[in-house]
């Protein structure tokens, strides 16, 4: 179940929609992953959009949404759809993955969008899983 995931994103999205935010390069919080009992360690990555991303998409499409944020919000949603498409590929659900990838058209210029297009067209699920595992290992290295 995805209920309860992404509430922190909802908070940040809502704050950004109401007020300007500032970037602070200092580390102000730690986020532990992979620990027993943690939400991120308890289940595999989701194969559907998080509810917080769906809500952001609905708000960004609505009248009155801050025009300056609409493009960034929809780009974020597109990137989330690409990540979801990749998880669906790993799960062997190629048709659903293609649907998410197509809906991510706002990210058409990104490397992730094109790499996912290649994965959709030629890579078997096992190869996608190995590639995802490799990307995660590389990202964790200092």
């Amino acid at each position: 179940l995805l209920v309860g995931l992404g509430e922190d994103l909802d908070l940040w999205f809502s704050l950004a929609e109401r007020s300007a935010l500032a970037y602070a390069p200092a580390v102000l919080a730690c986020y532990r992953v992979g620990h027993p009992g943690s939400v991120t360690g308890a289940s595999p990555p989701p194969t559907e959009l998080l509810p917080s991303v769906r809500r952001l998409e609905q708000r960004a499409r609505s009248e009155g949404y801050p025009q300056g944020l609409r493009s960034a919000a929809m780009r974020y949603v597109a990137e989330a759809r690409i990540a979801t498409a990749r998880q669906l590929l790993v799960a062997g659900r190629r048709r659903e993955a293609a649907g998410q990838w197509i809906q991510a058209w706002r990210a058409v210029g990104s490397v992730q969008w094109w790499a996912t297009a290649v994965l959709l067209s030629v890579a078997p699920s096992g190869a996608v899983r190995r590639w995802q595992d490799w990307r995660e290992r590389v990202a964790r290295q200092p």
Side-chain angles (χ1 to χ4, degrees), residues 32 34-38 41:
R32 296 181 348 159
H35 296 294
S38 73

Side-chain angles (χ1 to χ4, degrees), residues 82-140:
I82 291 170
T84 301
R86 289 180 178 186
Q87 290 307 319
L88 287 164
L89 278 172
V90 167
R93 295 161 55 188
R94 191 169 296 273
R95 179 172 284 172
E96 292 172 74
Q100 288 294 327
W101 175 78
I102 289 167
Q103 291 182 58
W105 65 269
R106 290 178 186 275
V108 74
S110 75
V111 171
Q112 292 85 359
W113 192 87
W114 286 105
T116 304
V118 170
L119 293 172
L120 274 166
S121 61
V122 297
S125 298
V128 175
R129 182 176 301 109
R130 287 189 299 277
W131 182 72
Q132 288 282 89
D133 290 345
W134 173 81
R135 285 184 62 234
E136 289 174 13
R137 278 194 313 274
V138 169
R140 282 186 294 232

